[in-house]
Amino acid sequence: MIKLIPSKGSPCTPNDTNYLTDNDGNRVPGATLYIGVTGDVVALPAENDDTNSTTTTGTNGAILYKSVPVGPFPYSVKKVFSTGTTATNIIYHFD
């Protein structure tokens, strides 16, 4: 469960294989994002099944969020894919 105000953060490098991790390299169960430059974000929601597929069809895989504006991205995600993500300067926050 994500707290209202996460206590940790890290720059996000979108990757089609790697999940978001804490400072020790452990996967975080879910993180919120801060978008620095507007663009599309392809992300895997925290409660969806694990996958390396960027296919955004179906109900339990990656989701394409179009034209995400600068600022907080209020959804809990465990992976940000490089394929299809055009937003930049992304930071992820977690506990």
Side-chain angles (χ1 to χ4, degrees), residues 44-93:
L44 184 62
E47 297 299 319
N48 284 17
D49 292 339
D50 290 349
T51 183
N52 288 332
S53 173
T54 59
T55 301
T56 56
T57 57
T59 59
N60 203 24
I63 296 177
L64 169 61
Y65 298 90
K66 296 290 288 178
S67 303
V68 177
V70 169
F73 181 78
Y75 305 103
S76 179
V77 302
K78 57 186 171 183
K79 183 188 287 192
V80 178
F81 293 91
S82 54
T83 301
T85 296
T86 59
T88 59
N89 295 349
I90 302 170
I91 298 171
Y92 64 99
H93 299 275

Side-chain angles (χ1 to χ4, degrees), residues 12-53:
C12 177
T13 302
N15 187 295
D16 290 345
T17 305
N18 297 335
Y19 289 84
L20 301 176
T21 60
D22 63 17
N23 296 334
D24 295 323
N26 301 308
R27 279 178 52 176
V28 297
T32 58
L33 304 177
Y34 176 85
I35 307 299
V37 177
T38 298
D40 297 346
V41 175
V42 178
L44 184 62
E47 297 299 319
N48 284 17
D49 292 339
D50 290 349
T51 183
N52 288 332
S53 173

Side-chain angles (χ1 to χ4, degrees), residues 8 11 87:
K8 300 173 186 162

